[in-house]
Amino acid sequence: MATRWGICTAGQISNDFTVALKTLPPEDHQVVAVAARSLARAQEFAQKHDIPRAYGSYDELANDPEIDVVYVGTIHPKHLPVSLLFMNAKKNVLCEKPLAMNLREVQEMVAAAKLNNIFFMEAVWTRFFPASMEISRLLAQGEVGEVKMVRADFGVSIAHIPRTVEKELGGGALLDIGVYCLQFILMVFNGERPECIQATGVCLDTRVDEAMVVTLRFSRGRMAVCRCTVTTELPNDAVISGTKGSIRVPEHMWCPTTLLVKKKETQYPLPEPHLPLNFTFSTGMRYEAEEVRQCLLKGLKECPRMTHADSALLAEIMDEARRQVGVTYSQDCQ
């Protein structure tokens, strides 16, 4: 039986997620409804993607009995209230990254998921790419020896987009794109809590971070560096350096399709989309969608590759980095 998806919002990321779902077998994944704040937008989205039902409110989607899981693609500050709406309606939820604005909100969401006994996961799609799976396998086998240093960069010129720079929209380099670098580092170190977090950065006039560098020190003298910015291009690669060699994601570290392992290159091509995409390699969201399906089939309430503890640690590190740089949101004062 197919996993029946509800799509929350008719924005760009929801478009790409829906396109990605169409690269999977229809007997496994079906989009049965979409909701937006405007019924006209929901209807336009539904027509574009051949979705049977369109709703002009999130409440209607939450009350639809024929939905197994809801994909939440709202702006960052809305992740908490919208996810809670669906969880309290006993709907399983896949919520876009960052899961919430801070650790307190993440903890509230996790508590609600447990209370309602539903599956809940942060949509960190990077972790489910075949290349990421291969990285985890190689590290577990000791292919590059003991990992001593990890570097992850993500920088793009997107400061002209309001949601990336406006404080009330949850803007800032760290929450929007730096989260990918930090989650990659935590994946490499298998969810270990760093012993020390040091951050420096510069802020825009909107009082969110334009650029940030976060350095993490782990046990046994192992280090990691995350660099992110919304005003210039960075190499956008990631390098894992061990005592016996290195693993490199040479480009697009947030959606890896190529690996260099001890200088040997392997490609992991993605399926072509049937409709235009808004973001790089978005058909790769198929992997997180299939992971959700497999978790639901197994009766799991959280994903082993992106646990609730992983999301909480990620939020905790971002909270501390923001504190050191002086970036606060209204949600931090509640």
Side-chain angles (χ1 to χ4, degrees):
M1 182 176 177
T3 298
R4 300 168 300 178
W5 289 87
I7 305 297
C8 179
T9 77
Q12 292 184 332
I13 193 67
S14 293
N15 172 86
D16 287 14
F17 183 79
T18 304
V19 171
L21 283 174
K22 289 293 182 71
T23 69
L24 294 163
E27 62 268 24
D28 291 343
H29 296 269
Q30 294 178 3
V31 179
V32 299
V34 59
R37 290 175 296 176
S38 158
L39 178 57
R41 286 199 66 195
Q43 290 172 332
E44 180 183 5
F45 190 97
Q47 183 176 14
K48 178 180 179 180
H49 295 283
D50 194 24
I51 300 171
R53 297 189 293 281
Y55 298 122
S57 73
Y58 300 157
D59 291 279
E60 291 174 278
L61 184 64
N63 291 325
D64 188 326
E66 297 182 357
I67 289 173
D68 299 313
V69 56
V70 176
Y71 170 79
V72 175
T74 62
I75 59 172
H76 305 160
K78 298 298 183 182
H79 286 181
L80 172 66
V82 172
S83 293
L84 289 180
L85 169 68
F86 293 118
M87 285 191 279
N88 290 333
K90 308 298 183 183
K91 294 289 190 292
N92 300 300
V93 171
L94 174 65
C95 180
E96 260 305 332
K97 62 79 213 164
L99 192 56
M101 296 298 293
N102 54 35
L103 175 60
R104 178 190 60 78
E105 289 195 346
V106 169
Q107 291 171 331
E108 185 175 348
M109 295 163 86
V110 169
K114 292 180 178 178
L115 179 65
N116 289 289
N117 194 35
I118 55 96
F119 175 85
F120 177 53
M121 188 180 92
E122 182 174 10
V124 180
W125 66 325
T126 311
R127 295 212 170 184
F128 306 99
F129 276 71
S132 296
M133 299 291 196
E134 180 65 3
I135 289 172
S136 295
R137 186 187 70 81
L138 292 170
L139 293 177
Q141 292 183 348
E143 180 70 21
V144 296
E146 182 181 19
V147 174
K148 301 296 291 184
M149 178 72 74
V150 180
R151 176 185 56 78
D153 288 351
F154 195 171
V156 284
S157 183
I158 53 174
H160 59 284
I161 302 173
R163 66 169 180 80
T164 68
V165 297
E166 297 297 334
K167 177 170 284 195
E168 64 271 19
L169 300 180
L174 187 66
L175 284 190
D176 196 53
I177 59 178
V179 60
Y180 286 115
C181 303
L182 289 176
Q183 71 78 28
F184 183 89
I185 290 166
L186 294 178
M187 180 186 75
V188 171
F189 287 111
N190 202 28
E192 180 180 331
R193 181 181 300 276
E195 295 179 341
C196 178
I197 303 167
Q198 292 184 312
T200 186
V202 293
C203 292
L204 297 161
D205 292 340
T206 55
R207 295 179 294 143
V208 300
D209 49 305
E210 169 193 329
M212 197 179 293
V213 178
V214 182
T215 303
L216 306 176
R217 189 184 74 234
F218 293 86
S219 63
R220 304 194 306 278
R222 297 166 298 152
M223 300 283 291
V225 179
C226 153
R227 301 189 303 174
C228 60
T229 175
V230 294
T231 55
T232 190
E233 297 286 331
L234 292 180
N236 294 334
D237 64 346
V239 182
I240 304 166
S241 300
T243 54
K244 296 180 181 178
S246 66
I247 300 172
R248 183 179 176 222
V249 180
E251 59 182 358
H252 310 305
M253 57 76 52
W254 67 98
C255 48
T257 56
T258 305
L259 277 188
L260 287 171
V261 182
K262 296 181 178 179
K263 299 183 179 180
K264 179 181 177 182
E265 181 176 302
T266 305
Q267 299 280 344
Y268 300 86
L270 292 170
E272 290 297 317
H274 73 288
L275 289 173
L277 298 170
N278 297 296
F279 303 104
T280 304
F281 296 154
S282 283
T283 51
M285 287 193 280
R286 71 197 305 268
Y287 301 121
E288 66 179 0
E290 179 59 22
E291 181 70 17
V292 170
R293 172 174 167 80
Q294 292 305 316
C295 288
L296 292 177
L297 290 174
K298 295 172 185 175
L300 301 179
K301 303 306 177 185
E302 62 180 307
C303 173
R305 272 192 76 79
M306 191 65 207
T307 67
H308 297 159
D310 290 331
S311 294
L313 179 57
L314 185 56
E316 182 180 343
I317 292 171
M318 291 195 293
D319 282 1
E320 175 59 21
R322 289 195 296 108
R323 186 193 67 80
Q324 292 182 25
V325 175
V327 177
T328 60
Y329 300 99
S330 60
Q331 293 84 358
D332 298 322
C333 304
Q334 296 175 6

